[in-house]
Amino acid sequence: MMHVDFDVAWQVMKWPLAACLVLPPLLVYLGLHVVKREVIFVDLALAQLATLGTCVALILGYSFSDRISFWISLAVTFAGAALFSWSRNSERQHVPQEAIIGITFVVAAAGVILLLSRVAGGKEELEHLLTGDILNVTARDVGQRAAIFVVLAGFFGAFHRHFALISEDAKAAAATGLRVRLWDFLFYAAFAVVVVFFVRVAGVLLTFAYLIVPAVCSVMLARTWKSRLLVGWAIAALSSLVGLYASFAMDFPTGAAIVCACGLALVLVTIGVSFRQGKLV
Amino acid sequence: MTTLTHLVLAFAALLPTAGGVEAPPPAKLLNVVATTPDLAALARAIGGAAVDVKALAKPTEDPHFVDAKPSLVVTLNRADMLIEGGAELEMGWLPPLLESARNDRIAAGSPGRVSASTGIRMLEVPTSFDRSKGDVHSMGNPHFLLDPVNVRLVVTQIAQHMAQVDPASAALFRDNLKNFLATLEVKAAAWQKELEPFRGAKIVTYHKDFVYLAERYKLEVAETLEPKPGIEPSPIHLAAVIGTMRAQKVRVILVQPFQNRKTAETVARQTDAVVLDMPQQPGVKPNTATYFDLMDSLVHTLATALQEKK
Ligand SMILES: [Zn+2]
């Protein structure tokens, strides 16, 4: 433990804490869809595309904080969103969507490496983009994202029935006359916006952890959308608290500590559920 | 074996700042934070018993790119004084940490903030600047501490600021400065003498981090493995470096611990050169905790290699 009074700890950790408690719920909701659709790695691919977009901006001479590099990042991610909503509806080609997602991920990751080899300190930059800089998040970062996420949460809330139907059974949804392709694009586009905003403060790894781990845990623990959302949020919050505490107490990089705490949460939930089902006794 | 020793020593050097078991210093000591261990060593020499000095970067870390961790913010939050290299050396990592730390005592322009590059005659100041070309030296070369003349300016500035922040210890700082400068004069003459026979010798470095040393002792940096400061070595560039080294018979490559030694070794194999471990931070090599010991070690290592490869 570092010998610091609570005041100092609070001053250093309050905005990271706010970010880790306030921002993940929308990701948890999207995670539930992603788990249902069995497109787990879509987030990793979109996050990597967001990073690729940022690197394109860097190579063009803009800095990370320039507004234009945000828009470039968003545009590249939108292109990925369009690809994913299109590929989901091309089942006739016998190409599993997960393959397209995986290929997108590795090509985007390799593209990032290529571009950053031409940027000063590229290797370090690469690590930062992966692990993010949640420790240095500001009040402005949190406030801006919270506002945007509330609007997006309203959007997903208003059309939840459509999205849930498509995620659970796309064929049945099409049979009711729903324009699946359009709704799918809207889903991935909104998803892309969330990922782009989140990746810029939290990095690729933490974004992915928040999206998947709470959702997977809550699928094991709860049944309805609402209860799963609440359970997932609670698990995200608990993992955040443990990760932030460990980061401060043992001086670990903050984002990576939270990702590991998420991993620990998944292990504990899995063991707990197995006990309850009598598999381990 | 030597790598292992380095690692152990590097860890030993880290222990006091790693936030592990250390007790809080007595309240009356001046909390001085330096961005890099070399600046911290200078601050220790001047501050003596009146100060508690911490470095943000590890001796084995690239000073251009330091990882953000909570302890760094806490350290900055409690600092009475911050000594930075300046000239954008820490541009990539210090500003967000300072923003998180919210400490007016070390705000730019206050007596508690020392920018070491102030007053230094900077080398390699670019005439035009294009960020897209990738450059971590946009305000000139910030690795100026291996030139004793620059160190003179830096310690004088540190002593002035310390006296302003802690007037009660001003006499101590003045005495320490006087002693330091007297030793520096003697040492600088010795370094000059040891490197004198190699005037005009050519060296290759990984990064542009030995240009001040080269300028002071009239060595010539024939090439760097990085095509530009901060840009990873590319195959085409390395081929050109090998060509230059063969043509000009350059036989030494200087690397620091955070640089890719394998790249240097590959080039060395093609050119009958030797790769020299030349950490610019104190504490990486054994018995290099002070600036004088560090410079002794670097000058001696370099002189020995240049002699052998002559
Ligand atoms: Zn440099």
Side-chain angles (χ1 to χ4, degrees):
Chain A
M1 274 297 289
M2 279 187 289
H3 294 272
V4 289
D5 34 40
F6 180 75
D7 276 358
V8 175
W10 174 246
Q11 201 169 351
V12 172
M13 301 308 279
K14 68 181 172 189
W15 289 113
L17 178 69
C20 292
L21 293 182
V22 174
L23 300 184
L26 188 55
L27 276 181
V28 174
Y29 173 77
L30 292 169
L32 287 169
H33 278 287
V34 163
V35 170
K36 271 250 150 61
R37 289 165 173 241
E38 296 180 353
V39 288
I40 306 297
F41 294 105
V42 75
D43 161 71
L44 207 52
L46 286 178
Q48 199 61 49
L49 283 170
T51 304
L52 181 68
T54 304
C55 294
V56 169
L58 289 178
I59 207 85
L60 290 176
Y62 301 106
S63 87
F64 183 78
S65 51
D66 287 342
R67 187 151 296 180
I68 184 84
S69 60
F70 168 80
W71 290 111
I72 294 173
S73 175
L74 191 65
V76 173
T77 317
F78 264 171
L83 175 71
F84 295 148
S85 59
W86 167 79
S87 66
R88 179 179 159 110
N89 294 298
S90 52
E91 278 167 22
R92 279 158 292 151
Q93 298 172 5
H94 302 292
V95 178
Q97 196 180 17
E98 198 74 333
I100 291 168
I101 291 167
I103 292 163
T104 306
F105 170 75
V106 289
V107 172
V112 166
I113 291 170
L114 285 191
L115 291 179
L116 286 184
S117 72
R118 292 284 187 275
V119 171
K123 246 188 302 182
E124 289 75 11
E125 197 76 44
L126 182 67
E127 202 185 297
H128 283 164
L129 292 169
L130 210 56
T131 56
D133 200 6
I134 194 89
L135 177 64
N136 288 316
V137 71
T138 62
R140 202 168 145 265
D141 292 331
V142 179
Q144 184 197 47
R145 279 164 184 76
I148 288 159
F149 286 7
V150 164
V151 172
L152 285 171
F155 169 72
F156 280 109
F159 300 105
H160 173 66
R161 280 164 48 110
H162 294 346
F163 289 124
L165 191 57
I166 294 172
S167 286
E168 275 157 13
D169 190 346
K171 285 205 181 77
T176 65
L178 206 59
R179 295 174 66 186
V180 172
R181 189 171 288 218
L182 174 69
W183 284 105
D184 245 5
F185 177 72
L186 288 176
F187 173 80
Y188 281 115
F191 191 6
V193 173
V194 176
V195 166
V196 168
F197 272 106
F198 210 87
V199 157
R200 288 173 81 80
V201 294
V204 173
L205 296 183
L206 187 55
T207 305
F208 183 70
Y210 274 139
L211 188 94
I212 295 303
V213 175
V216 168
C217 290
S218 68
V219 165
M220 286 193 271
L221 293 170
R223 285 286 158 261
T224 66
W225 278 89
K226 200 174 162 191
S227 58
R228 281 178 176 173
L229 189 56
L230 287 173
V231 168
W233 187 358
I235 285 173
L238 271 176
S239 306
S240 300
L241 288 175
V242 171
L244 286 165
Y245 178 80
S247 163
F248 193 81
M250 289 176 261
D251 205 26
F252 288 139
T254 311
I258 299 172
V259 173
C260 288
C262 286
L264 185 67
L266 181 60
V267 171
L268 292 178
V269 167
T270 309
I271 292 173
V273 168
S274 304
F275 259 115
R276 205 174 59 184
Q277 294 171 347
K279 284 179 189 160
L280 285 182
V281 197
Chain B
M1 177 59 209
T2 52
T3 327
L4 185 67
T5 327
H6 289 174
L7 266 178
V8 170
L9 283 162
F11 271 109
L14 287 178
L15 278 177
T17 54
V21 289
E22 184 197 9
K28 61 181 192 297
L29 290 188
L30 198 65
N31 272 319
V32 178
V33 175
T35 52
T36 50
D38 50 359
L39 289 169
L42 296 179
R44 251 177 232 118
I46 302 305
V51 300
D52 178 58
V53 183
K54 285 194 176 74
L56 296 177
K58 300 169 197 157
T60 48
E61 208 163 17
D62 187 340
H64 290 296
F65 308 99
V66 171
D67 285 332
K69 278 190 298 183
S71 63
L72 303 189
V73 184
V74 173
T75 305
L76 283 170
N77 177 274
R78 297 155 137 201
D80 299 310
M81 240 180 116
L82 170 63
I83 306 171
E84 61 174 341
E88 297 195 342
L89 175 70
E90 303 93 342
M91 181 182 68
W93 56 277
L94 188 60
L97 290 174
L98 278 172
E99 194 173 327
S100 302
R102 263 171 276 254
N103 180 349
D104 291 338
R105 293 188 299 277
I106 55 169
S110 64
R113 177 75 163 266
V114 181
S115 184
S117 62
T118 311
I120 302 278
R121 192 178 59 86
M122 302 294 288
L123 298 179
E124 301 183 333
V125 179
T127 46
S128 70
F129 174 54
D130 182 357
R131 196 181 291 281
S132 71
K133 293 202 177 111
D135 193 346
V136 289
H137 292 171
S138 51
M139 307 238 322
N141 192 304
H143 309 281
F144 45 75
L145 283 184
L146 295 191
D147 179 351
V149 174
N150 291 337
V151 166
R152 221 187 138 78
L153 293 172
V154 173
V155 287
T156 306
Q157 203 197 159
I158 290 176
Q160 281 164 358
H161 280 256
M162 279 185 177
Q164 263 183 291
V165 177
D166 181 11
S169 308
L172 172 75
F173 301 142
R174 203 172 45 234
D175 287 350
N176 287 345
L177 176 65
K178 223 175 106 189
N179 291 338
F180 186 96
L181 292 180
T183 314
L184 186 65
E185 203 171 318
V186 177
K187 285 284 188 184
W191 299 327
Q192 187 79 51
K193 201 175 156 211
E194 190 165 6
L195 286 176
E196 186 58 41
F198 309 106
R199 187 176 272 265
K202 290 180 171 133
I203 60 174
V204 163
T205 62
Y206 189 97
H207 178 74
K208 286 214 162 203
D209 40 12
F210 288 90
V211 293
Y212 289 86
L213 184 93
E215 160 104 351
R216 176 60 48 203
Y217 300 108
K218 303 293 169 241
L219 307 171
E220 192 193 319
V221 183
E223 280 284 6
T224 56
L225 301 187
E226 288 179 338
K228 290 192 190 75
I231 304 282
E232 261 184 82
S234 63
I236 285 188
H237 179 70
L238 289 180
V241 171
I242 290 169
T244 308
M245 286 181 72
R246 282 179 180 160
Q248 306 189 6
K249 301 201 165 40
V250 189
R251 295 285 168 70
V252 291
I253 305 175
L254 282 53
V255 296
Q256 297 211 56
F258 46 82
Q259 294 163 350
N260 193 337
R261 203 179 196 283
K262 285 212 171 111
T263 308
E265 280 164 355
T266 307
V267 173
R269 270 198 299 277
Q270 311 274 330
T271 53
D272 186 30
V274 60
V275 179
L276 296 184
D277 290 308
M278 294 275 285
Q280 293 187 2
Q281 297 300 331
V284 178
K285 282 192 170 181
N287 307 316
T288 57
T290 69
Y291 178 74
F292 298 127
D293 292 341
L294 175 73
M295 276 298 280
D296 278 343
S297 161
L298 291 180
V299 167
H300 191 65
T301 306
L302 186 56
T304 310
L306 288 173
Q307 181 65 44
E308 276 170 12
K309 285 284 178 183
K310 218 170 183 177

